[in-house]
Amino acid sequence: MNYIKLFVTVFAMALALNASAQSKTTAKSKTAAPAKTTTTAAPKKTTTTTTARTTSANDRPSATRSSNKGYDPDVHFMLETRIGSGLGENLVLEKEFHKYVAVDFFSLGYTSENWKFDTHKISAKTGARGFSPRWWGGRMRAYTDLALGYDCVIFSLPGFSETSHGFGLTWGLGIHMLDHFYFGYSLDYTTISMNIGGIASVSGGATSHFFKFGYRF
């Protein structure tokens, strides 16, 4: 009987130890390792660079060169007619260097000093002109011009003829319209003096007055 009790006692102890071991194993298995945190990199930001297109003068609607730059740098011929104490024509080669200043490289002119057409004046001069600020949307501007140079006067009557040379001055003022048309007043002064056989004379310091209009090509 003692052996049986000993066996039962050992068996009970073995069951108890086994149950204790299983309990510890179960407790360990219930304590799970912390889950690994996977860090996903944020997508790289895409920087969009917008290049603004610069509008050049050539992309803009067409406009006159004078409105873009304030003045027209091209060389122009001007043909003008003068009416007053006689009838005259003048050809001018002009170039603007500033919106307020231009140079007349040369001007060649003919004027009949009277309406009988017996006195003729041929001139070759150089000068400059100045302009006012534009108005009426840039369509109009005032001007003044001054030219200095050479005068040749030819006086002719049946049986009489004389030619004289001297200094000449031309001054004027007026209005330019639409960059092409202009009109105004012109004054001519010459130092030439002539006396043909006591019949007719052109005295030194003679001054003539004209109404002038022209076209700028």
Side-chain angles (χ1 to χ4, degrees):
M1 288 296 294
N2 293 332
Y3 292 104
I4 293 173
K5 290 181 180 179
L6 180 62
F7 177 78
V8 172
T9 300
V10 171
F11 183 76
M13 291 176 66
L15 288 178
L17 291 172
N18 186 43
S20 177
Q22 288 184 355
S23 176
K24 290 180 179 181
T25 303
T26 303
K28 289 181 179 182
S29 63
K30 287 182 178 180
T31 305
K36 294 182 179 180
T37 302
T38 303
T39 303
T40 304
K44 185 178 180 180
K45 292 182 179 180
T46 302
T47 302
T48 303
T49 302
T50 303
T51 303
R53 184 171 184 268
T54 302
T55 303
S56 64
N58 293 331
D59 297 330
R60 296 171 186 163
S62 60
T64 61
R65 299 184 67 178
S66 59
S67 65
N68 287 335
K69 294 186 176 183
Y71 72 98
D72 185 347
D74 292 338
V75 176
H76 293 274
F77 282 101
M78 299 191 298
L79 180 64
E80 57 189 36
T81 299
R82 305 192 301 170
I83 301 174
S85 55
L87 178 65
E89 290 291 332
N90 204 31
L91 178 65
V92 182
L93 181 66
E94 177 239 40
K95 176 178 173 62
E96 293 182 24
F97 288 93
H98 187 274
K99 62 181 179 180
Y100 297 136
V101 178
V103 171
D104 296 341
F105 292 113
F106 69 83
S107 61
L108 298 176
Y110 164 81
T111 305
S112 64
E113 291 296 287
N114 56 50
W115 288 96
K116 297 178 180 179
F117 293 94
D118 56 13
T119 305
H120 315 279
K121 183 173 71 175
I122 299 173
S123 302
K125 300 174 182 176
T126 185
R129 62 187 61 216
F131 302 101
S132 72
R134 294 175 178 267
W135 73 89
W136 193 24
R139 298 180 182 90
M140 300 183 69
R141 58 179 173 168
Y143 78 91
T144 183
D145 61 68
L146 177 65
L148 309 173
Y150 164 77
D151 277 348
C152 173
V153 175
I154 303 171
F155 186 88
S156 62
L157 284 174
F160 298 94
S161 179
E162 184 173 333
T163 301
S164 186
H165 311 275
F167 169 78
L169 177 150
T170 300
W171 173 78
L173 55 85
I175 294 177
H176 269 266
M177 300 177 61
L178 305 174
D179 287 331
H180 293 290
F181 301 96
Y182 62 96
F183 61 90
Y185 163 78
S186 181
L187 175 148
D188 276 12
Y189 170 82
T190 184
T191 61
I192 294 176
S193 176
M194 294 185 303
N195 191 342
I196 304 176
I199 300 175
S201 65
V202 177
S203 60
T207 302
S208 303
H209 307 273
F210 300 91
F211 169 74
K212 176 172 64 176
F213 61 92
Y215 186 85
R216 183 173 183 254
F217 293 91

